[in-house]
Amino acid sequence: MLKAPDHQVAGHRADNGKLGPLIDDSGRFYKPLQNDERGTKEVAFYSSFSSNGRIPTHIRRFFPIFHGTQHLEASDGSGLHPHLVLQDLVSNRLNPSVMDIKIGSRTWYPQASEDYIQKCLKKDRESTSLPLGFRISGLRTYESDKSGYWKPDKKNVQGFSLEDVRSALRKFVSSNPSTHTEPDCLFAPIIYGGSDGILAQLLELKAWFEDQTIYQFYSCSILMVYENGVAGEEGRRQTGAEVKLIDFAHVVEGEGVIDHNFLGGLCSLIKFVSEILACPDESTTKGGLQEPEKNQFSVENSSKA
Amino acid sequence: MLKAPDHQVAGHRADNGKLGPLIDDSGRFYKPLQNDERGTKEVAFYSSFSSNGRIPTHIRRFFPIFHGTQHLEASDGSGLHPHLVLQDLVSNRLNPSVMDIKIGSRTWYPQASEDYIQKCLKKDRESTSLPLGFRISGLRTYESDKSGYWKPDKKNVQGFSLEDVRSALRKFVSSNPSTHTEPDCLFAPIIYGGSDGILAQLLELKAWFEDQTIYQFYSCSILMVYENGVAGEEGRRQTGAEVKLIDFAHVVEGEGVIDHNFLGGLCSLIKFVSEILACPDESTTKGGLQEPEKNQFSVENSSKA
């Protein structure tokens, strides 16, 4: 029995007769191939990656398992359509909190068409991609059995400013994301921190990106997932914080050069997460703005070159 | 007595009655302030940086010493003109080899004017900035007392491809840069390698860029300088490989975000230098192209999105 996934936070959805991904109850995720070259390219990436002997074993865990492609009845009722068959990344979760972060200040690559480049460049400039090196594409955080999930709507997320991003990364690991009080960052030490927490996993990925020159991951996302168990409530409940890479329709060959665009954005995200871990009690609006010697550098950023 | 510097490899030159930098014999470098905002911005940066208590001492050595500003007779004979007074980075060198590398895949910043953005974007796309995260702006390498310097001309350098960059980084530390034989990378171990060689210094800078959120260094260059002493020839002659940051007319405030654009480009440069150190004997044309499992990833990079 196939159905639309409950925990999707970004991308096309299989709701209301639209074409979108489906899941089954055996832990598989069926992603319809996009009709243009994007579908073909994503299949080519998964095929290349899954058989590439140069990918270290400890890096494979950051990628969804690939089970090939399969023709299935499409969710929009249009008949048989080819689907990527992937691991469902949240199938073993009860109340997963999920954040989708598109990495890179640039989502376009030199070989793309001019139309595509201009479209991407506009989005990058209008979002936090340009200043931050990444943008949040979607998120949902499980607050409690009573209040359910906190999930800012798509329009809201698309308009996120630097401070909104900082705040969302704090709310994502807080027990009070939906309230108007300061996010408490209660889960930061166990989700972002720890020897196999989000930060440790991001640093492991970073070390690989400093070295690998096989692929350039344009417009690819990092998915952060965890199970929202209040620490201590049910003893040592497994929170299982996981980092995964998803969306490979725009991966190109590395040609012997590291993916400096992805790496820069990843380092920026790492810095944000590190700051939350270092100061979980700090107000979201402080950020770097109240550091002791702020404003020594008096050139106006708004001046024109 | 002021004169035009001999060892300049990029930027405006004070030749033939043009406005350019001057040096004296006490080790100072006089850079004319550009008339538009760039001049003001560069002075503001040097003033901010030199008095900023948050810059670690070990990082200051990567920046030219700042001695304020001074009105001097301009090199174009136009009368008194304000100049930045800086440390002359090669004044204590006899035959310095110098490379100027503009860091970052993007040389423009969001707050710049649309004209400036489009001009920079075009240059970034036409050079290696976009694919490599940096571009070589100029270089000269001392070959021998007999043949003097190898210095590719400006037009040539501006047209450098990925493979040209790889080759130039090898020639820069070779005893035979001007010949048509493979660069021998004879000096790589002592210039790029070693506990305080170029690579070690770049890694020190990288660690700072992973953390610092004070400045964003758009369109800034890394200068690599060394004294070309053939190892063993004159005993332990000091080669003094040095990395310096220069050109701060487009530095903006960090606003609590790391400079992911500079950092990405720096990591890419580090990877190139590391590869030369790992395989100094390898042909320049090999690069990543003959790795064992190349071409497993069959998607055409030239396809349009």
PDB file of all heavy atoms in Angstrom, chain A residues 5-11 13 15 96-98 137-143 147-157 160 171-172 177-179:
ATOM      1  N   PRO A   5       3.921  10.617   1.999  1.00  0.00           N
ATOM      2  CA  PRO A   5       4.612  10.647   3.302  1.00  0.00           C
ATOM      3  C   PRO A   5       4.087  11.766   4.202  1.00  0.00           C
ATOM      4  O   PRO A   5       3.755  12.851   3.722  1.00  0.00           O
ATOM      5  CB  PRO A   5       6.077  10.883   2.928  1.00  0.00           C
ATOM      6  CG  PRO A   5       6.086  11.397   1.537  1.00  0.00           C
ATOM      7  CD  PRO A   5       4.817  10.966   0.883  1.00  0.00           C
ATOM      8  N   ASP A   6       3.994  11.473   5.507  1.00  0.00           N
ATOM      9  CA  ASP A   6       3.508  12.460   6.475  1.00  0.00           C
ATOM     10  C   ASP A   6       4.552  13.527   6.797  1.00  0.00           C
ATOM     11  O   ASP A   6       4.207  14.651   7.138  1.00  0.00           O
ATOM     12  CB  ASP A   6       3.179  11.772   7.813  1.00  0.00           C
ATOM     13  CG  ASP A   6       1.907  10.956   7.717  1.00  0.00           C
ATOM     14  OD1 ASP A   6       1.044  11.314   6.889  1.00  0.00           O
ATOM     15  OD2 ASP A   6       1.795   9.962   8.463  1.00  0.00           O
ATOM     16  N   HIS A   7       5.816  13.152   6.727  1.00  0.00           N
ATOM     17  CA  HIS A   7       6.839  13.989   7.352  1.00  0.00           C
ATOM     18  C   HIS A   7       7.672  14.808   6.372  1.00  0.00           C
ATOM     19  O   HIS A   7       8.748  15.291   6.701  1.00  0.00           O
ATOM     20  CB  HIS A   7       7.758  13.117   8.216  1.00  0.00           C
ATOM     21  CG  HIS A   7       7.002  12.333   9.230  1.00  0.00           C
ATOM     22  ND1 HIS A   7       6.346  12.931  10.278  1.00  0.00           N
ATOM     23  CD2 HIS A   7       6.739  11.004   9.330  1.00  0.00           C
ATOM     24  CE1 HIS A   7       5.746  12.001  11.001  1.00  0.00           C
ATOM     25  NE2 HIS A   7       5.960  10.814  10.436  1.00  0.00           N
ATOM     26  N   GLN A   8       7.156  14.943   5.154  1.00  0.00           N
ATOM     27  CA  GLN A   8       7.875  15.713   4.145  1.00  0.00           C
ATOM     28  C   GLN A   8       7.819  17.204   4.495  1.00  0.00           C
ATOM     29  O   GLN A   8       6.771  17.718   4.863  1.00  0.00           O
ATOM     30  CB  GLN A   8       7.189  15.459   2.796  1.00  0.00           C
ATOM     31  CG  GLN A   8       8.035  15.775   1.592  1.00  0.00           C
ATOM     32  CD  GLN A   8       7.258  15.561   0.300  1.00  0.00           C
ATOM     33  OE1 GLN A   8       6.264  14.817   0.267  1.00  0.00           O
ATOM     34  NE2 GLN A   8       7.689  16.230  -0.748  1.00  0.00           N
ATOM     35  N   VAL A   9       8.953  17.900   4.384  1.00  0.00           N
ATOM     36  CA  VAL A   9       8.950  19.333   4.727  1.00  0.00           C
ATOM     37  C   VAL A   9       9.236  20.248   3.544  1.00  0.00           C
ATOM     38  O   VAL A   9       9.084  21.450   3.627  1.00  0.00           O
ATOM     39  CB  VAL A   9       9.938  19.665   5.873  1.00  0.00           C
ATOM     40  CG1 VAL A   9       9.537  18.953   7.153  1.00  0.00           C
ATOM     41  CG2 VAL A   9      11.375  19.331   5.480  1.00  0.00           C
ATOM     42  N   ALA A  10       9.701  19.679   2.421  1.00  0.00           N
ATOM     43  CA  ALA A  10      10.007  20.513   1.259  1.00  0.00           C
ATOM     44  C   ALA A  10       9.805  19.691  -0.005  1.00  0.00           C
ATOM     45  O   ALA A  10       9.679  18.466   0.052  1.00  0.00           O
ATOM     46  CB  ALA A  10      11.445  21.030   1.325  1.00  0.00           C
ATOM     47  N   GLY A  11       9.751  20.349  -1.138  1.00  0.00           N
ATOM     48  CA  GLY A  11       9.624  19.648  -2.423  1.00  0.00           C
ATOM     49  C   GLY A  11       8.173  19.427  -2.819  1.00  0.00           C
ATOM     50  O   GLY A  11       7.247  19.825  -2.115  1.00  0.00           O
ATOM     51  N   ARG A  13       4.663  17.691  -3.369  1.00  0.00           N
ATOM     52  CA  ARG A  13       3.899  16.762  -2.517  1.00  0.00           C
ATOM     53  C   ARG A  13       2.828  16.042  -3.338  1.00  0.00           C
ATOM     54  O   ARG A  13       2.243  16.594  -4.253  1.00  0.00           O
ATOM     55  CB  ARG A  13       3.219  17.516  -1.373  1.00  0.00           C
ATOM     56  CG  ARG A  13       4.191  17.992  -0.302  1.00  0.00           C
ATOM     57  CD  ARG A  13       3.423  18.521   0.900  1.00  0.00           C
ATOM     58  NE  ARG A  13       2.537  17.501   1.442  1.00  0.00           N
ATOM     59  CZ  ARG A  13       2.906  16.592   2.355  1.00  0.00           C
ATOM     60  NH1 ARG A  13       4.118  16.614   2.849  1.00  0.00           N
ATOM     61  NH2 ARG A  13       2.040  15.692   2.777  1.00  0.00           N
ATOM     62  N   ASP A  15      -0.116  15.446  -2.778  1.00  0.00           N
ATOM     63  CA  ASP A  15      -1.454  15.762  -2.275  1.00  0.00           C
ATOM     64  C   ASP A  15      -2.362  16.208  -3.412  1.00  0.00           C
ATOM     65  O   ASP A  15      -1.897  16.731  -4.417  1.00  0.00           O
ATOM     66  CB  ASP A  15      -1.377  16.941  -1.277  1.00  0.00           C
ATOM     67  CG  ASP A  15      -0.608  16.561  -0.045  1.00  0.00           C
ATOM     68  OD1 ASP A  15      -0.469  15.356   0.217  1.00  0.00           O
ATOM     69  OD2 ASP A  15      -0.110  17.491   0.635  1.00  0.00           O
ATOM     70  N   PRO A  96       9.123  12.284  14.127  1.00  0.00           N
ATOM     71  CA  PRO A  96      10.386  12.896  13.708  1.00  0.00           C
ATOM     72  C   PRO A  96      10.307  14.410  13.562  1.00  0.00           C
ATOM     73  O   PRO A  96       9.336  14.938  13.042  1.00  0.00           O
ATOM     74  CB  PRO A  96      10.648  12.249  12.337  1.00  0.00           C
ATOM     75  CG  PRO A  96       9.301  11.857  11.836  1.00  0.00           C
ATOM     76  CD  PRO A  96       8.515  11.464  13.055  1.00  0.00           C
ATOM     77  N   SER A  97      11.333  15.079  14.048  1.00  0.00           N
ATOM     78  CA  SER A  97      11.536  16.496  13.740  1.00  0.00           C
ATOM     79  C   SER A  97      12.497  16.533  12.560  1.00  0.00           C
ATOM     80  O   SER A  97      13.512  15.838  12.573  1.00  0.00           O
ATOM     81  CB  SER A  97      12.133  17.232  14.941  1.00  0.00           C
ATOM     82  OG  SER A  97      11.183  17.269  15.984  1.00  0.00           O
ATOM     83  N   VAL A  98      12.154  17.336  11.564  1.00  0.00           N
ATOM     84  CA  VAL A  98      12.899  17.310  10.298  1.00  0.00           C
ATOM     85  C   VAL A  98      13.195  18.733   9.836  1.00  0.00           C
ATOM     86  O   VAL A  98      12.312  19.593   9.868  1.00  0.00           O
ATOM     87  CB  VAL A  98      12.060  16.594   9.195  1.00  0.00           C
ATOM     88  CG1 VAL A  98      12.830  16.556   7.875  1.00  0.00           C
ATOM     89  CG2 VAL A  98      11.646  15.188   9.617  1.00  0.00           C
ATOM     90  N   SER A 137      14.814  25.130   3.604  1.00  0.00           N
ATOM     91  CA  SER A 137      13.734  24.910   2.644  1.00  0.00           C
ATOM     92  C   SER A 137      12.446  24.497   3.341  1.00  0.00           C
ATOM     93  O   SER A 137      11.365  24.651   2.770  1.00  0.00           O
ATOM     94  CB  SER A 137      14.116  23.809   1.651  1.00  0.00           C
ATOM     95  OG  SER A 137      15.240  24.193   0.916  1.00  0.00           O
ATOM     96  N   GLY A 138      12.555  23.947   4.522  1.00  0.00           N
ATOM     97  CA  GLY A 138      11.360  23.536   5.259  1.00  0.00           C
ATOM     98  C   GLY A 138      11.759  22.906   6.571  1.00  0.00           C
ATOM     99  O   GLY A 138      12.895  22.461   6.735  1.00  0.00           O
ATOM    100  N   LEU A 139      10.831  22.907   7.521  1.00  0.00           N
ATOM    101  CA  LEU A 139      11.098  22.239   8.801  1.00  0.00           C
ATOM    102  C   LEU A 139       9.804  21.929   9.528  1.00  0.00           C
ATOM    103  O   LEU A 139       8.771  22.569   9.272  1.00  0.00           O
ATOM    104  CB  LEU A 139      11.996  23.093   9.698  1.00  0.00           C
ATOM    105  CG  LEU A 139      11.386  24.301  10.427  1.00  0.00           C
ATOM    106  CD1 LEU A 139      12.175  24.622  11.681  1.00  0.00           C
ATOM    107  CD2 LEU A 139      11.367  25.511   9.505  1.00  0.00           C
ATOM    108  N   ARG A 140       9.848  20.922  10.355  1.00  0.00           N
ATOM    109  CA  ARG A 140       8.780  20.684  11.325  1.00  0.00           C
ATOM    110  C   ARG A 140       9.413  20.104  12.574  1.00  0.00           C
ATOM    111  O   ARG A 140      10.323  19.271  12.514  1.00  0.00           O
ATOM    112  CB  ARG A 140       7.670  19.796  10.762  1.00  0.00           C
ATOM    113  CG  ARG A 140       8.101  18.471  10.206  1.00  0.00           C
ATOM    114  CD  ARG A 140       6.933  17.767   9.528  1.00  0.00           C
ATOM    115  NE  ARG A 140       6.141  16.998  10.467  1.00  0.00           N
ATOM    116  CZ  ARG A 140       4.903  16.550  10.196  1.00  0.00           C
ATOM    117  NH1 ARG A 140       4.323  16.824   9.033  1.00  0.00           N
ATOM    118  NH2 ARG A 140       4.235  15.851  11.081  1.00  0.00           N
ATOM    119  N   THR A 141       8.958  20.591  13.700  1.00  0.00           N
ATOM    120  CA  THR A 141       9.514  20.157  14.980  1.00  0.00           C
ATOM    121  C   THR A 141       8.380  19.644  15.849  1.00  0.00           C
ATOM    122  O   THR A 141       7.353  20.313  15.990  1.00  0.00           O
ATOM    123  CB  THR A 141      10.196  21.335  15.706  1.00  0.00           C
ATOM    124  OG1 THR A 141      11.153  21.905  14.838  1.00  0.00           O
ATOM    125  CG2 THR A 141      10.880  20.877  16.968  1.00  0.00           C
ATOM    126  N   TYR A 142       8.588  18.463  16.407  1.00  0.00           N
ATOM    127  CA  TYR A 142       7.576  17.892  17.283  1.00  0.00           C
ATOM    128  C   TYR A 142       7.674  18.571  18.632  1.00  0.00           C
ATOM    129  O   TYR A 142       8.727  18.570  19.271  1.00  0.00           O
ATOM    130  CB  TYR A 142       7.820  16.385  17.428  1.00  0.00           C
ATOM    131  CG  TYR A 142       6.743  15.700  18.194  1.00  0.00           C
ATOM    132  CD1 TYR A 142       5.498  15.482  17.604  1.00  0.00           C
ATOM    133  CD2 TYR A 142       6.956  15.287  19.502  1.00  0.00           C
ATOM    134  CE1 TYR A 142       4.488  14.860  18.306  1.00  0.00           C
ATOM    135  CE2 TYR A 142       5.946  14.660  20.213  1.00  0.00           C
ATOM    136  CZ  TYR A 142       4.724  14.454  19.615  1.00  0.00           C
ATOM    137  OH  TYR A 142       3.722  13.844  20.325  1.00  0.00           O
ATOM    138  N   GLU A 143       6.569  19.179  19.071  1.00  0.00           N
ATOM    139  CA  GLU A 143       6.606  19.909  20.339  1.00  0.00           C
ATOM    140  C   GLU A 143       6.154  19.021  21.493  1.00  0.00           C
ATOM    141  O   GLU A 143       6.875  18.835  22.466  1.00  0.00           O
ATOM    142  CB  GLU A 143       5.737  21.165  20.254  1.00  0.00           C
ATOM    143  CG  GLU A 143       5.936  22.065  21.460  1.00  0.00           C
ATOM    144  CD  GLU A 143       5.373  23.466  21.221  1.00  0.00           C
ATOM    145  OE1 GLU A 143       6.113  24.312  20.694  1.00  0.00           O
ATOM    146  OE2 GLU A 143       4.191  23.703  21.534  1.00  0.00           O
ATOM    147  N   SER A 147       0.395  19.513  21.730  1.00  0.00           N
ATOM    148  CA  SER A 147       0.390  20.575  20.705  1.00  0.00           C
ATOM    149  C   SER A 147       0.863  20.085  19.345  1.00  0.00           C
ATOM    150  O   SER A 147       0.767  20.808  18.359  1.00  0.00           O
ATOM    151  CB  SER A 147       1.220  21.770  21.178  1.00  0.00           C
ATOM    152  OG  SER A 147       2.532  21.364  21.509  1.00  0.00           O
ATOM    153  N   GLY A 148       1.377  18.854  19.283  1.00  0.00           N
ATOM    154  CA  GLY A 148       1.802  18.316  17.983  1.00  0.00           C
ATOM    155  C   GLY A 148       3.042  19.000  17.435  1.00  0.00           C
ATOM    156  O   GLY A 148       3.956  19.335  18.190  1.00  0.00           O
ATOM    157  N   TYR A 149       3.022  19.238  16.119  1.00  0.00           N
ATOM    158  CA  TYR A 149       4.195  19.792  15.444  1.00  0.00           C
ATOM    159  C   TYR A 149       4.134  21.307  15.328  1.00  0.00           C
ATOM    160  O   TYR A 149       3.060  21.878  15.107  1.00  0.00           O
ATOM    161  CB  TYR A 149       4.294  19.225  14.027  1.00  0.00           C
ATOM    162  CG  TYR A 149       4.828  17.815  13.994  1.00  0.00           C
ATOM    163  CD1 TYR A 149       3.961  16.724  14.055  1.00  0.00           C
ATOM    164  CD2 TYR A 149       6.190  17.571  13.910  1.00  0.00           C
ATOM    165  CE1 TYR A 149       4.440  15.433  14.027  1.00  0.00           C
ATOM    166  CE2 TYR A 149       6.685  16.289  13.876  1.00  0.00           C
ATOM    167  CZ  TYR A 149       5.819  15.218  13.927  1.00  0.00           C
ATOM    168  OH  TYR A 149       6.300  13.949  13.906  1.00  0.00           O
ATOM    169  N   TRP A 150       5.289  21.932  15.409  1.00  0.00           N
ATOM    170  CA  TRP A 150       5.411  23.330  15.000  1.00  0.00           C
ATOM    171  C   TRP A 150       5.985  23.311  13.589  1.00  0.00           C
ATOM    172  O   TRP A 150       7.018  22.719  13.334  1.00  0.00           O
ATOM    173  CB  TRP A 150       6.354  24.094  15.928  1.00  0.00           C
ATOM    174  CG  TRP A 150       6.614  25.503  15.449  1.00  0.00           C
ATOM    175  CD1 TRP A 150       5.719  26.530  15.415  1.00  0.00           C
ATOM    176  CD2 TRP A 150       7.839  26.013  14.921  1.00  0.00           C
ATOM    177  NE1 TRP A 150       6.300  27.657  14.901  1.00  0.00           N
ATOM    178  CE2 TRP A 150       7.617  27.368  14.588  1.00  0.00           C
ATOM    179  CE3 TRP A 150       9.111  25.482  14.703  1.00  0.00           C
ATOM    180  CZ2 TRP A 150       8.601  28.190  14.041  1.00  0.00           C
ATOM    181  CZ3 TRP A 150      10.101  26.293  14.163  1.00  0.00           C
ATOM    182  CH2 TRP A 150       9.851  27.630  13.836  1.00  0.00           C
ATOM    183  N   LYS A 151       5.250  23.927  12.652  1.00  0.00           N
ATOM    184  CA  LYS A 151       5.675  23.898  11.258  1.00  0.00           C
ATOM    185  C   LYS A 151       5.344  25.228  10.603  1.00  0.00           C
ATOM    186  O   LYS A 151       4.191  25.472  10.252  1.00  0.00           O
ATOM    187  CB  LYS A 151       4.957  22.747  10.539  1.00  0.00           C
ATOM    188  CG  LYS A 151       5.368  22.564   9.070  1.00  0.00           C
ATOM    189  CD  LYS A 151       4.686  21.340   8.478  1.00  0.00           C
ATOM    190  CE  LYS A 151       5.218  20.986   7.098  1.00  0.00           C
ATOM    191  NZ  LYS A 151       5.143  22.063   6.108  1.00  0.00           N
ATOM    192  N   PRO A 152       6.335  26.098  10.490  1.00  0.00           N
ATOM    193  CA  PRO A 152       6.079  27.374   9.817  1.00  0.00           C
ATOM    194  C   PRO A 152       5.703  27.119   8.360  1.00  0.00           C
ATOM    195  O   PRO A 152       6.219  26.186   7.746  1.00  0.00           O
ATOM    196  CB  PRO A 152       7.425  28.112   9.906  1.00  0.00           C
ATOM    197  CG  PRO A 152       8.442  27.078  10.204  1.00  0.00           C
ATOM    198  CD  PRO A 152       7.745  25.936  10.860  1.00  0.00           C
ATOM    199  N   ASP A 153       4.787  27.927   7.819  1.00  0.00           N
ATOM    200  CA  ASP A 153       4.352  27.623   6.447  1.00  0.00           C
ATOM    201  C   ASP A 153       5.410  28.035   5.411  1.00  0.00           C
ATOM    202  O   ASP A 153       6.351  28.766   5.680  1.00  0.00           O
ATOM    203  CB  ASP A 153       2.960  28.173   6.148  1.00  0.00           C
ATOM    204  CG  ASP A 153       2.949  29.674   6.005  1.00  0.00           C
ATOM    205  OD1 ASP A 153       3.981  30.246   5.634  1.00  0.00           O
ATOM    206  OD2 ASP A 153       1.893  30.274   6.273  1.00  0.00           O
ATOM    207  N   LYS A 154       5.213  27.498   4.217  1.00  0.00           N
ATOM    208  CA  LYS A 154       6.212  27.587   3.160  1.00  0.00           C
ATOM    209  C   LYS A 154       6.611  29.031   2.840  1.00  0.00           C
ATOM    210  O   LYS A 154       7.796  29.357   2.729  1.00  0.00           O
ATOM    211  CB  LYS A 154       5.643  26.900   1.912  1.00  0.00           C
ATOM    212  CG  LYS A 154       6.694  26.384   0.953  1.00  0.00           C
ATOM    213  CD  LYS A 154       6.042  25.594  -0.172  1.00  0.00           C
ATOM    214  CE  LYS A 154       6.980  25.452  -1.349  1.00  0.00           C
ATOM    215  NZ  LYS A 154       6.353  24.744  -2.489  1.00  0.00           N
ATOM    216  N   LYS A 155       5.603  29.887   2.697  1.00  0.00           N
ATOM    217  CA  LYS A 155       5.846  31.303   2.375  1.00  0.00           C
ATOM    218  C   LYS A 155       6.741  31.941   3.433  1.00  0.00           C
ATOM    219  O   LYS A 155       7.671  32.690   3.137  1.00  0.00           O
ATOM    220  CB  LYS A 155       4.511  32.077   2.326  1.00  0.00           C
ATOM    221  CG  LYS A 155       3.760  31.922   1.020  1.00  0.00           C
ATOM    222  CD  LYS A 155       4.229  32.951  -0.023  1.00  0.00           C
ATOM    223  CE  LYS A 155       3.683  32.633  -1.397  1.00  0.00           C
ATOM    224  NZ  LYS A 155       4.711  32.500  -2.424  1.00  0.00           N
ATOM    225  N   ASN A 156       6.411  31.656   4.681  1.00  0.00           N
ATOM    226  CA  ASN A 156       7.155  32.156   5.821  1.00  0.00           C
ATOM    227  C   ASN A 156       8.631  31.712   5.742  1.00  0.00           C
ATOM    228  O   ASN A 156       9.555  32.529   5.842  1.00  0.00           O
ATOM    229  CB  ASN A 156       6.468  31.614   7.084  1.00  0.00           C
ATOM    230  CG  ASN A 156       7.064  32.165   8.367  1.00  0.00           C
ATOM    231  OD1 ASN A 156       8.096  32.817   8.352  1.00  0.00           O
ATOM    232  ND2 ASN A 156       6.412  31.882   9.480  1.00  0.00           N
ATOM    233  N   VAL A 157       8.815  30.414   5.501  1.00  0.00           N
ATOM    234  CA  VAL A 157      10.183  29.862   5.443  1.00  0.00           C
ATOM    235  C   VAL A 157      10.966  30.491   4.290  1.00  0.00           C
ATOM    236  O   VAL A 157      12.147  30.817   4.416  1.00  0.00           O
ATOM    237  CB  VAL A 157      10.147  28.322   5.313  1.00  0.00           C
ATOM    238  CG1 VAL A 157      11.555  27.761   5.118  1.00  0.00           C
ATOM    239  CG2 VAL A 157       9.496  27.700   6.539  1.00  0.00           C
ATOM    240  N   PHE A 160      12.635  33.754   5.166  1.00  0.00           N
ATOM    241  CA  PHE A 160      13.531  33.781   6.334  1.00  0.00           C
ATOM    242  C   PHE A 160      14.718  34.735   6.139  1.00  0.00           C
ATOM    243  O   PHE A 160      15.412  34.686   5.126  1.00  0.00           O
ATOM    244  CB  PHE A 160      14.080  32.384   6.619  1.00  0.00           C
ATOM    245  CG  PHE A 160      13.240  31.545   7.551  1.00  0.00           C
ATOM    246  CD1 PHE A 160      12.027  31.992   8.050  1.00  0.00           C
ATOM    247  CD2 PHE A 160      13.685  30.278   7.940  1.00  0.00           C
ATOM    248  CE1 PHE A 160      11.266  31.205   8.910  1.00  0.00           C
ATOM    249  CE2 PHE A 160      12.930  29.482   8.797  1.00  0.00           C
ATOM    250  CZ  PHE A 160      11.720  29.945   9.287  1.00  0.00           C
ATOM    251  N   LYS A 171      14.891  26.913  17.594  1.00  0.00           N
ATOM    252  CA  LYS A 171      13.562  26.328  17.843  1.00  0.00           C
ATOM    253  C   LYS A 171      13.540  24.847  17.517  1.00  0.00           C
ATOM    254  O   LYS A 171      12.829  24.065  18.147  1.00  0.00           O
ATOM    255  CB  LYS A 171      12.510  27.059  17.010  1.00  0.00           C
ATOM    256  CG  LYS A 171      12.195  28.443  17.541  1.00  0.00           C
ATOM    257  CD  LYS A 171      11.082  29.110  16.746  1.00  0.00           C
ATOM    258  CE  LYS A 171      10.722  30.454  17.392  1.00  0.00           C
ATOM    259  NZ  LYS A 171       9.648  31.138  16.665  1.00  0.00           N
ATOM    260  N   PHE A 172      14.329  24.476  16.493  1.00  0.00           N
ATOM    261  CA  PHE A 172      14.352  23.089  16.044  1.00  0.00           C
ATOM    262  C   PHE A 172      14.741  22.137  17.176  1.00  0.00           C
ATOM    263  O   PHE A 172      14.313  20.986  17.181  1.00  0.00           O
ATOM    264  CB  PHE A 172      15.339  22.957  14.870  1.00  0.00           C
ATOM    265  CG  PHE A 172      15.364  21.608  14.219  1.00  0.00           C
ATOM    266  CD1 PHE A 172      14.221  21.073  13.630  1.00  0.00           C
ATOM    267  CD2 PHE A 172      16.528  20.853  14.186  1.00  0.00           C
ATOM    268  CE1 PHE A 172      14.240  19.823  13.020  1.00  0.00           C
ATOM    269  CE2 PHE A 172      16.562  19.599  13.574  1.00  0.00           C
ATOM    270  CZ  PHE A 172      15.410  19.086  12.993  1.00  0.00           C
ATOM    271  N   PRO A 177       8.913  25.456  20.678  1.00  0.00           N
ATOM    272  CA  PRO A 177       9.081  26.202  19.420  1.00  0.00           C
ATOM    273  C   PRO A 177       7.876  27.065  19.046  1.00  0.00           C
ATOM    274  O   PRO A 177       8.048  28.100  18.394  1.00  0.00           O
ATOM    275  CB  PRO A 177       9.319  25.096  18.383  1.00  0.00           C
ATOM    276  CG  PRO A 177       8.737  23.873  18.970  1.00  0.00           C
ATOM    277  CD  PRO A 177       8.949  24.001  20.450  1.00  0.00           C
ATOM    278  N   SER A 178       6.680  26.641  19.411  1.00  0.00           N
ATOM    279  CA  SER A 178       5.491  27.367  18.935  1.00  0.00           C
ATOM    280  C   SER A 178       5.125  28.556  19.817  1.00  0.00           C
ATOM    281  O   SER A 178       4.265  29.345  19.466  1.00  0.00           O
ATOM    282  CB  SER A 178       4.300  26.409  18.847  1.00  0.00           C
ATOM    283  OG  SER A 178       3.885  26.070  20.149  1.00  0.00           O
ATOM    284  N   THR A 179       5.786  28.682  20.962  1.00  0.00           N
ATOM    285  CA  THR A 179       5.425  29.771  21.878  1.00  0.00           C
ATOM    286  C   THR A 179       6.131  31.066  21.478  1.00  0.00           C
ATOM    287  O   THR A 179       7.024  31.065  20.627  1.00  0.00           O
ATOM    288  CB  THR A 179       5.852  29.432  23.322  1.00  0.00           C
ATOM    289  OG1 THR A 179       7.281  29.335  23.350  1.00  0.00           O
ATOM    290  CG2 THR A 179       5.241  28.126  23.777  1.00  0.00           C
TER     291      THR A 179
END
